[in-house]
Each structure stands twice: as C-alpha cells, then as structure tokens.
Amino acid sequence: MSSPIEPIAYAAVLVHVLSTPRRVFAVLAGLAVAGVVVGLPNLVVVLEGLRAHSYDVTQTPPVVIYMTANAVALFLGPLIAIAASLVLHVQDRTVRLVSAAFLLVAGPAMLLTFSRGGFLAMAAVAVGLALSHRRRLWLLAGTAAVAAVLVLIPPIYTRVSVEFQNVGGTTLFGRAGRLALWSATLQMLSRFPVFGAGLSGFADRIGPYWNADHPERFIDPHNIVLNFWVETGVLGVIAMAWLLFIGFRWSWHGWRAGQDLWRAISLGALLALVAVVVHGLVDVPYFKNDLSLEFWIVIAMIECARRWGYKRTA
C-alpha cells in the first residue's frame, strides 16, 4: 500500500506549476510513457500465450511488470479516457497524434487484460465520449457496434461469460466471488463501523467472516466504497465522496465553460474519474502507489483547469 501523503504533496506542487495546457501535456506524456512500458510487454506476452495455446482465458492472464492483469487495467483506464478525449476534442495535430499513438498500444493492452471491470469502465468512458460530441448519435451507434463485435471475439466472449457462471473462482457469483466477499466485508464492518479495520487491516479482520473452505484469500474488499470504509473508516468514505463530487463538478464546469485546450483536459479528467469509479465498483482503484499518484494527478489537472482554464467575462 502506498503512503497517503506523497501523491497529495505531488498534486499540491502540480497545481502551482501546470498553469498552461502545454505543461499539462508534458505531465500526461510522462504518464503515457509509463502506460506503454506497463501495457506493451503484457500485450506481447498475452498474444504469445494465445498463439501458443498456453493461456486459458478463463484463468488470470499472464503479467510482466504488475502482479495481476487487473492492475494493468486499473492503471491504463484513466489514461485511455484522457487520451481519447484529446484525440476527439483537441485541434493541435501533435497532441492528437501522440494521443492516438498511445491509444494504439493502450487500447489492445487493455483489451488483453481480460479485466471485466476494465471492460465496464471503458464502456462507460466510450459512452461519455460519444455524448460529448455533436455527432453523439452516430458515435453511440458506433460504440455499440464495436462493443458487440468485441464481445463476439471468442477469447473475450469466454472471459465475459465466466462472470455469469456460478463457478468456484473469483467471479461475481462464485462462492469466492465479489458478492460473497462484499457480504463478508459488511459483516466485518458491522463490528467496526466507525474506524473500519485500519490501514492494511482487512486481511486479518476478514478471517472469521470469510469462506473457510475456499483457499482464496483477499487483502481488500474489491469495491471503492468498502475499501475506503475498511481502510480509513467512515470519515475516509465521506472525504473521498466529497473529493469525487468536487472533481466531477469542477471538471464538468471546465468542459462546459473552459477555454480551448482546457476543455478537452477537463473532459479527459472527468472521464478518468468515471473510469476510476466504474472500475472501482469491482476492484480497488486507489490504494496502490501508481494508482494513487495517477488519481491525484487527475485531481491536480482539474484544479489547474479551474484556476486558469475558465472563460473570463468582462
């Protein structure tokens, strides 16, 4: 688990530095490089596994840098949201080309994580992007068509269909699945409702409430609300809810009333938060070094757009 201080301190520095879109793009370029470094090796190893028939898509995909494929999806999701917004709404050719090049790597890499939470987050982002454009009906139809085609690809279809089977693995409905995990977490929280289990305390506290017959053991409840409740107590849940509310509100206003490039930055930040929240319904999108840093960079972008990006009226 990451320290809660460093990402916040970094964001505090950024809000005093990112006074122009160009500076924001410089930070985003660094994140894009990180995304390529994380995503490309995974893309290659999964493709090789599929080619050699050494990877069963009903199982967790192989990884290179991260410990799980879901971690790759959690990191790439917000970056894909921002890059797609820049491609769709920025006129600067260089920014669009760099963003498109990133998407050519990050998009397939996200797809081959076979992360159901990642797929759900990307669907929400795609709908948001379509609604942001004046040709929204055509884009919504295109999004639905692409989604239908992707789901029909055999490995993806198999991976998604497993989610709705009552199997012994960690699917939504399995006996060690998300619903069972959330139920056990709520039972545990009924004993520690105010302060939760404390930082990194979930694995120890959940024992008496978890399925003792199943070997799977979790270190977190795989849900953004339950995770903050467990780790930081009720006050942490309230603080995160307030931060997300402010983030959505300001980024929406930046998209509606911002100037030029700041509008696309605000929309990208808004959709990045959408990706965090939607994927966070079934996973943990914050309590890791990379994810917390990425989250606070997005918050810093929103604040910078609020400070310097709104249209001023005389």
Side-chain angles (χ1 to χ4, degrees), residues 253-285:
H253 186 61
W255 162 244
R256 299 292 293 175
Q259 303 179 66
D260 304 326
L261 296 175
W262 285 111
R263 294 187 69 242
I265 292 171
S266 294
L267 178 64
L270 187 153
L271 293 176
L273 292 183
V274 168
V276 168
V277 171
V278 173
H279 201 157
L281 296 175
V282 293
D283 217 316
V284 185

Side-chain angles (χ1 to χ4, degrees), residues 162-245:
V162 167
E163 194 64 50
F164 301 96
Q165 300 172 13
N166 189 22
V167 297
T170 55
T171 62
L172 186 62
F173 301 105
R175 62 192 179 98
R178 294 293 191 266
L179 294 181
L181 178 62
W182 297 337
S183 177
T185 301
L186 288 172
Q187 291 180 53
M188 183 268 288
L189 285 170
S190 68
R191 287 199 59 195
F192 310 98
V194 178
F195 299 108
L199 294 175
S200 300
F202 179 81
D204 293 331
R205 298 284 191 182
I206 196 64
Y209 310 96
W210 184 234
N211 184 352
D213 297 328
H214 199 281
E216 189 73 34
R217 292 294 178 264
F218 293 95
I219 61 173
D220 55 68
H222 286 269
N223 174 272
I224 187 171
V225 176
L226 293 178
N227 214 89
F228 271 91
W229 193 356
V230 165
E231 299 283 345
T232 62
V234 172
L235 289 179
V237 175
I238 294 172
M240 189 60 175
W242 174 83
L243 184 61
L244 287 171
F245 171 76

